[in-house]
Amino acid sequence: PQAGLLGIDLLLAPREGEDRQRDLRARIGAWWPQARSLLAPLEAAFAGAPDLSAQLAGIREQAGLLSREAVWAGHQGRAAAELFADMEDHAGDGPREADMRSLPILLDHMLGGLAVRPPQGGHPRIAILGLIEARLMQADIMILGGLNEGVWPGMPAPDPWLAPSIRKDLGLPGLESRIGLAAHDFASALGAPQVLITRARRGAGGPAVASRFWLRLKAMAGPQWKSADRYADFARDIDRPALFRPAARPRPVPPASVRPKLVPVTDVDRLKADPYAFYARRILRLARLDPVDADAGPAWRGTAVHEILQRWAEAATLDPADLEDRARAMFARPDVHPLLRALWQPRLIEAIRWIAAEVTKDKGEGRSILAVEREGRTEIAGITLTGKADRIDRMTDGTLAIVDYKTGKPPSARQVRAGFALQLGLLGLIAEHGGFPGIEGRAVAGCFEYWSLAKKGDAFGYRESPVDPLGKRDKIVTADFTTYVHDLFEQAAAGYLNGTMPFEAQVNPEVASYGDYDQLMRLEEWYGRDDG
């Protein structure tokens, strides 16, 4: 906006004299280097970068710098971060060279089609309740709204099937009984310490008419009836408490005696992405409770698939028909929900057929399965690192392959490089240290693969590796992967597990799945402010 105003002034300057024009040119000359320095990283990202993934990454980084990460704040920011992450992950499926002039149209189309819904709960100090919910609640101030004619009490809807006399002969309650229930709810709500009775002055079709009950109350109250003008600022006063002390970003510093010395590989990702979440889970030992009578979610599906594949591999036949029979037997169990059986069974059957075909193909090329669901451990930097490998294979060149089954989308190569998805590399590190029992000798981990059962294209099931032998597409070189994760883990262990570094709460748009402790860390109070 400042540049635009200066430009307009410059166009109008000849009318006001050459001195004014020179002054404006001097102001623009002083302002432009600062503005250009802010946009220089974006220019560098687009210069010689026809790759769509690099263009999206440049916009993401520059947006965070210009807004001081406020663009990713709140539920809107998280939705935008997830959209950008998804676009960058699938950018490789698009054209090799992308014209940056079409990028604004693409972003407008993608962002315009994303629906962002606020989280459940609304305002933390206001609850909008129905009549039944209001019976069970007690509030300091109760606002009874909607006392307009035809709204409250609502007119009973006619019964399209039974006449009133027939309803009475059958012993059914009359339609007018709902008016009595509404009156009972109204009288119950009047028992709150403070009550405001309100109505709308206008409705959708024009001025609203006060209900007869409202007029009767006003007539009975007489001079004691208080106008709503006295409460004009009531809604604004709700958000003006006498004492307001927002919480600061938590940075707990527990003593060395309680810092864990045994860490699963799955929690290393949590330590890198959000140290406070690691602190709450591993030191405070707080875990999220599953909802009562919750449907089987991704965790249950993952456990079931791992169990099927483990039993199939341990049978040593590697018969594709046997694997499919085991999957169908799992769905035939009485504890499996019928909806899950109807919706998920066809997808899983197709995915496990793909797994059986891939295993058969690898076996024909000389690759063999050494272990499934094998637990191992090793000591690094004074910390015992533990983990369970879904599968460990022996490659034809003698190296080991670490395989991780995923029922959903696997982590991206960018998340692995950032240190937010190190599970595969840490399992390979344990294998190279001889930490898995039953695997003789210390072999080199030379292959790291995610086997996803999700849909890609027109089929279910695909392989993906976060590394590359030559480091293509900004992936870590395969031969350097275990060294890379070893260095990252040593740094984390030196600061958080063996040192005195505080477990600071962090929010990483790259990892949107860690949100179990947002309420505990008082995220909404400090995130987005200058200190957060």
Side-chain angles (χ1 to χ4, degrees), residues 36 38 97 106 113 136-138 147 161-162 183 191 209 229 243 253 289 302 330 366 393 400 436 465 484 500 512:
R36 182 179 179 85
L38 293 175
E97 296 186 0
L106 173 64
L136 308 176
M137 299 291 292
Q138 182 67 37
L147 268 72
W161 308 109
L162 299 176
V209 179
D229 295 338
L243 182 63
V253 185
L289 297 177
M330 185 272 292
D393 294 354
L400 299 179
F436 287 102
S465 177
Y484 183 82
T500 59

Side-chain angles (χ1 to χ4, degrees), residues 269-291:
D269 299 340
R270 192 185 304 269
L271 178 61
K272 292 286 295 180
D274 190 350
Y276 184 87
F278 178 91
Y279 163 80
R281 181 177 180 87
R282 299 295 301 172
I283 298 180
L284 299 183
R285 301 186 183 277
L286 299 177
R288 181 180 181 181
L289 297 177
D290 293 331

Side-chain angles (χ1 to χ4, degrees), residues 374-387:
R374 183 67 54 86
E375 293 188 2
R377 64 174 54 201
T378 189
E379 184 172 335
I380 301 175
I383 304 298
T384 301
L385 192 64
T386 66

